[in-house]
């Protein structure tokens, strides 16, 4: 009996052991299956999130080359809430609503706009999307350039412009105290909206899909998925991928350089073509010669682009500089960029003279001349008898100088810009204009030839006698010459390609203050002039001699690498080693050959791992589509 009992006990122990092993194996199998499913879900989400990120960057890069897009780099708004669940879903709202709060910049991913299929996460939910408010349209377009940062943060990482979210399955959460302190709230998500039930009118609402920081109400700029104790007390199941400002700017750097080459460079080249000399010559001949080619203005001293956003500051200084920032300041009557006419010099026989500046920048200059009244005496004109009669013509010359005329882009003047009043029939006027090679100041000369048979003598003695004879014997005549303001330039777009002209408004265009629709409006509206290095060759400067610029790596199909009149170097976001922005040091913005100044040499593209400069330049080869 004892033997049987011992055998029965041993069998029971063995049976229990087998059951324990079986249960343990089952539990382990279930755990492994769950863990495997969790990993598979995460991998699936990671794949669709990465696909969406690449599509979003590709979309922005493509749009940067769209000539109708006045804000390259601008991100699309989320899907319009009213189309979720309808046949037309997946389309961006186009405008994140005038006066919006950040609530308007969170919604479902506009997958159709991005050229995607309707991507879904492992819970079969469409992806969600958050965008930085300063990178989307909000009634008006934002200003986006290299200095524009993202306003979002993800798990403490800043400068984020977009977040794409795989929302996961609906959750019911009860945060512990630590999680509550981290921004998590108790919630039970209900997804009874139009996207899930066509009978429901309400659109999807982000708090029914996102959790914790991602579901703040009202929504703020802080997001993340890392929450304390989430493994043991799940309160968030969102999975995200984000895009930084640097990633967007790097994606559009190449397209923007191409757009710069096709829309801005041809207009600068047109401005710098031809000569300053107008038809006619000055009588008497002025001291300055105006036979030099029309010049490109000197550069503004390079300074930290982030700290000088006011366009008025961007003019060349008193010291000529051929490299720096674009001198795009508008015409000014005072300050560093002042370019009002002054330093008037008269020549020829004249009476009283004077010049008065007007508020609009025009200047009125006056001179007097005298004609004799006819007093017959025995059939002979008394004044002819006394030798007071003048030759039939009187030449008066006037020359003026505008400081800083070569320190910004200025419109070339034409004869119709001048108004001359008080002259008799037969009077002629010619003018000429150009730069002073030594100072870069703009110089203008005008010559007026008065033709009148009764002119009083222009000899010094009798000219004075004529001025004091009085109204009984002479007629005093006052001539007023109105000088136009040295205003901002206009260009005709003669060197733009047919494709660019077809996509633009009708010329002429203001070179530095273009209206919407002008081909280069994007460049000025987004203040890219702050992040574009500008260099002119000695040949293209006011002196007009000294050689051209060279560009290493310039494609042979585009012409010579050594005949460039100017270079525009587009600054990208910071790369390795550029950690001190804002800075007055050029190497914090440009790399390689482009970061060395005044050597007349640039690199077409910096291909080093740390280089992201892109150049536009002129001229190209004959027959090229830009800068012919």
């Amino acid at each position: 009996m004892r033997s049987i009992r011992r055998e029965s006990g041993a069998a029971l122990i063995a049976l229990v052991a087998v059951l324990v092993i079986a249960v343990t194996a089952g539990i382990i199998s279930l755990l492994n299956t769950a863990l495997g499913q969790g990993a598979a879900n995460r991998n699936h989400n990671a794949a669709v999130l990465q696909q969406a990120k690449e599509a979003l960057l590709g979309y922005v890069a493509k749009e940067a080359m769209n000539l109708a897009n006045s804000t390259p780099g601008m991100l699309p708004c989320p899907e319009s809430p009213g189309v979720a669940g309808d046949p037309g879903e997946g389309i961006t709202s186009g405008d994140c609503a005038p006066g919006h709060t950040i609530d308007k910049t969170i919604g479902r991913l506009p997958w159709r706009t991005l050229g995607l299929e309707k991507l879904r996460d492992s819970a079969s939910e469409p992806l969600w999307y958050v965008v930085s408010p300063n990178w989307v349209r909000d009634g008006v377009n934002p200003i986006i350039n290299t200095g524009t940062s993202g306003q979002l943060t993800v798990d403490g990482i800043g400068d984020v412009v977009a977040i794409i979210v795989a929302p996961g399955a609906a959750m019911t959460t009860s945060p512990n105290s630590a999680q509550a302190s981290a921004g998590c709230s108790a919630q039970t998500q209900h997804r009874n909206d139009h996207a899930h039930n066509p009978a429901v009118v309400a659109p999807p609402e982000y708090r029914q899909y996102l959790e914790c920081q991602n579901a703040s109400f009202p929504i703020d700029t802080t997001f993340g998925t890392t929450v304390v104790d989430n493994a043991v007390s799940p309160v968030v199941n969102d999975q995200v991928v984000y895009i930084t400002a640097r990633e967007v700017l790097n994606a559009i750097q190449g397209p923007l350089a191409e757009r710069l080459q096709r829309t801005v460079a041809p207009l600068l080249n047109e401005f710098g073509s031809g000569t300053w000399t107008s038809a006619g010559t000055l009588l008497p001949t002025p001291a300055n010669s105006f036979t030099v080619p029309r010049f490109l203005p000197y550069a503004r001293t390079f300074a930290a682009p982030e700290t000088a956003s006011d366009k008025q500051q961007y003019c060349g200084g008193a010291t000529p500089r051929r490299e720096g920032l674009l001198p795009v300041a508008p015409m000014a009557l005072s300050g560093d960029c002042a370019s009002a006419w002054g330093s008037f010099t008269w020549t020829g026989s004249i009476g009283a003279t004077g010049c008065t500046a007007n508020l609009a920048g025009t200047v009125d200059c006056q001179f007097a001349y005298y004609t004799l009244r006819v007093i017959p005496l025995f059939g002979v004109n008394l004044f002819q008898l006394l030798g007071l009669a003048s030759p039939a013509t009187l030449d008066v010359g006037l020359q003026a100088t505008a400081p800083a005329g070569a320190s910004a882009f200025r419109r070339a003047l034409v004869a119709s810009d001048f108004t001359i009043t008080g002259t008799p029939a037969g009077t002629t006027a010619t003018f000429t204009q150009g730069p002073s090679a030594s100072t870069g100041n703009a110089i203008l000369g005008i010559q007026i030839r008065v033709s009148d048979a009764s002119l009083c003598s222009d000899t010094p003695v009798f000219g004075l006698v004529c001025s004091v004879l009085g109204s009984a014997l002479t007629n005093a005549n006052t001539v007023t010459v109105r000088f136009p303001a040295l205003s901002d330039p206009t260009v005709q777009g003669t060197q733009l390609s047919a494709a660019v002209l077809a996509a633009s408004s009708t010329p002429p265009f203001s070179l530095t203050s273009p209206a919407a629709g002008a081909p280069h409006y994007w460049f000025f509206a987004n203040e890219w002039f702050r992040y574009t290095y500008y260099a002119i060759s000695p040949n293209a400067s006011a002196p007009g001699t000294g050689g051209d610029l060279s560009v290493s790596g310039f494609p042979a199909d585009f012409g010579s690498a050594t005949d460039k009149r100017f270079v525009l170097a587009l600054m990208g976001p910071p790369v390795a080693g550029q950690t001190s922005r804002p800075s007055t040091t050029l190497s914090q913005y440009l790399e390689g050959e482009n970061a060395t100044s005044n050597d007349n040499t640039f690199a077409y593209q910096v291909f080093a791992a740390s280089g992201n400069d892109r150049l536009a330049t002129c001229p190209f080869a004959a027959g090229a589509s830009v800068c012919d």
Side-chain angles (χ1 to χ4, degrees), residues 1-333:
M1 289 294 292
R2 289 179 180 175
S3 177
I4 293 173
R5 288 174 181 168
R6 282 198 297 269
E7 290 176 1
S8 298
L12 182 61
I13 292 171
L15 179 60
V16 170
V18 169
L19 290 173
V20 168
I21 292 171
V23 170
T24 302
I27 292 172
I28 292 173
S29 177
L30 289 172
L31 288 174
N32 286 337
T33 300
L35 291 173
Q37 287 176 342
N41 291 343
R42 288 193 298 273
N43 290 339
H44 171 84
N45 290 346
V48 295
L49 289 171
Q50 184 62 30
Q51 185 179 353
K53 176 177 178 176
E54 292 172 358
L56 184 55
L57 287 172
Y59 172 84
V60 175
K62 173 186 71 70
E63 285 298 302
M65 273 303 295
N66 180 0
L67 296 178
N69 179 6
S70 61
T71 311
M74 183 171 65
L75 297 170
C77 292
E79 176 190 73
S80 180
V83 302
D86 289 341
E89 66 180 355
I91 302 296
T92 176
S93 62
D95 194 326
C96 293
H100 75 74
T101 63
I102 194 174
D103 301 67
K104 300 298 183 181
T105 58
I106 184 170
R108 300 205 312 178
L109 184 73
W111 51 272
R112 199 185 302 272
T113 296
L114 302 181
L116 289 168
E117 61 181 340
K118 188 177 182 179
L119 300 178
R120 297 178 182 271
D121 68 6
S122 59
S124 295
E125 290 290 352
L127 303 182
W128 280 69
Y129 168 60
V130 189
V131 62
S132 184
N134 62 330
W135 283 73
V136 290
R137 178 175 174 80
D138 176 14
V140 296
N141 288 349
I143 294 176
I144 294 177
N145 55 45
T146 295
T148 307
S149 300
Q151 295 177 327
L152 307 179
T153 62
V154 178
D155 290 326
I157 297 172
D159 197 30
V160 173
V161 298
I163 307 168
I164 305 171
V165 187
M171 296 186 72
T172 296
T173 63
S174 298
N176 60 34
S177 59
Q179 293 168 333
S181 298
C184 299
S185 301
Q187 62 182 133
T188 299
Q189 293 175 334
H190 299 286
R191 297 179 179 175
N192 187 27
D193 51 46
H194 191 65
H196 287 80
N197 183 353
V200 177
V201 176
E205 202 273 328
Y206 70 93
R207 289 178 297 171
Q208 302 301 325
Y209 293 82
L210 312 182
E211 301 85 40
C212 292
Q213 286 287 354
N214 305 334
S216 300
F217 184 78
I219 198 73
D220 55 24
T221 59
T222 304
F223 295 81
T225 59
T226 302
V227 178
V228 62
D229 296 335
N230 194 54
V232 294
S233 175
V235 290
V236 57
N237 64 357
D238 301 334
Q239 192 168 336
V240 307
V241 68
Y242 59 83
I243 299 174
T244 64
R246 180 179 300 191
E247 288 177 298
V248 173
L249 291 167
N250 279 331
I252 66 175
Q253 187 79 347
L256 282 191
E258 180 69 14
R259 193 164 173 178
L260 186 71
Q261 181 68 68
R262 293 185 178 277
T263 62
V264 178
L267 298 179
L268 296 189
N269 205 50
E270 177 188 337
F271 174 85
S273 301
T275 63
W276 280 99
T277 306
S278 297
T281 56
L282 281 179
L283 296 174
T285 303
N288 293 278
S289 171
F290 301 111
T291 58
V292 297
R294 190 183 304 172
F295 61 92
L296 289 167
Y298 291 123
R300 172 184 179 266
T301 304
F302 183 80
E306 297 88 348
T307 59
S309 59
D310 183 3
K311 187 175 176 181
Q312 180 65 61
Q313 300 179 46
Y314 283 76
C315 60
T319 302
R321 288 180 174 83
R322 292 189 295 102
E323 294 188 22
L325 298 177
L326 276 158
V328 296
M331 191 278 291
L333 302 180

Side-chain angles (χ1 to χ4, degrees), residues 232-603:
V232 294
S233 175
V235 290
V236 57
N237 64 357
D238 301 334
Q239 192 168 336
V240 307
V241 68
Y242 59 83
I243 299 174
T244 64
R246 180 179 300 191
E247 288 177 298
V248 173
L249 291 167
N250 279 331
I252 66 175
Q253 187 79 347
L256 282 191
E258 180 69 14
R259 193 164 173 178
L260 186 71
Q261 181 68 68
R262 293 185 178 277
T263 62
V264 178
L267 298 179
L268 296 189
N269 205 50
E270 177 188 337
F271 174 85
S273 301
T275 63
W276 280 99
T277 306
S278 297
T281 56
L282 281 179
L283 296 174
T285 303
N288 293 278
S289 171
F290 301 111
T291 58
V292 297
R294 190 183 304 172
F295 61 92
L296 289 167
Y298 291 123
R300 172 184 179 266
T301 304
F302 183 80
E306 297 88 348
T307 59
S309 59
D310 183 3
K311 187 175 176 181
Q312 180 65 61
Q313 300 179 46
Y314 283 76
C315 60
T319 302
R321 288 180 174 83
R322 292 189 295 102
E323 294 188 22
L325 298 177
L326 276 158
V328 296
M331 191 278 291
L333 302 180
S334 62
D336 293 341
C337 300
S339 54
W341 295 111
S343 303
F344 298 99
T345 302
W346 295 87
T347 56
S349 177
I350 55 176
T353 64
C355 292
T356 303
N358 303 312
L359 291 177
T362 60
V363 177
D364 289 338
C365 293
Q366 296 179 324
F367 69 90
Y369 72 95
Y370 299 89
T371 55
L372 300 170
R373 293 181 179 274
V374 176
I375 304 178
L377 181 63
F378 308 114
V380 179
N381 189 306
L382 175 62
F383 295 127
Q384 289 178 338
L385 183 64
L386 296 175
L388 294 176
S390 160
T393 59
L394 174 66
D395 291 324
V396 176
L398 178 58
Q399 184 171 294
T401 300
S407 297
F409 293 91
R410 305 295 183 207
R411 182 172 66 88
L413 303 176
V414 295
S416 59
D417 292 324
F418 296 86
T419 302
I420 303 175
T421 57
T423 58
T427 297
T428 60
T430 57
F431 79 99
T432 187
Q433 59 187 319
S436 166
S438 59
T439 65
N441 293 340
I443 299 176
L444 176 70
I446 188 166
Q447 179 266 328
I448 300 172
R449 171 164 285 177
V450 178
S451 299
D452 195 315
S454 60
L455 281 168
C456 191
S457 175
D458 62 352
T459 60
V461 174
F462 290 119
L464 178 61
V465 171
C466 290
S467 66
V468 299
L469 285 177
S471 59
L473 301 177
T474 62
N475 293 316
N477 302 273
T478 300
V479 176
T480 300
V481 182
R482 171 160 290 184
F483 279 52
L486 197 62
S487 59
D488 300 335
T490 56
V491 284
Q492 299 296 326
T494 56
Q495 297 183 20
L496 295 171
S497 68
V500 172
L501 281 172
S504 306
S505 56
T506 303
F509 310 114
S510 169
L511 180 61
T512 56
S513 298
H520 56 313
Y521 174 75
W522 67 274
F523 182 79
F524 287 94
N526 292 280
E527 298 180 0
W528 279 102
F529 59 84
R530 294 166 54 194
Y531 294 92
T532 302
Y533 194 68
Y534 166 72
I536 59 172
S537 71
N539 283 350
S541 66
T545 58
D548 294 315
L549 302 178
S550 296
V551 178
S552 66
F554 192 70
D557 290 346
F558 294 161
S560 171
T562 60
D563 64 349
K564 306 310 171 196
R565 302 184 68 237
F566 66 86
V567 160
L568 300 174
L570 197 65
M571 305 173 195
V575 297
Q578 294 175 338
T579 58
S580 301
R581 295 187 185 183
S583 174
T584 59
T585 303
L586 185 60
S587 60
Q588 290 296 317
Y589 299 89
L590 299 178
E591 301 83 50
E593 290 181 74
N594 302 333
T596 58
S597 59
N598 300 315
D599 59 359
N600 293 342
T601 303
F602 292 83

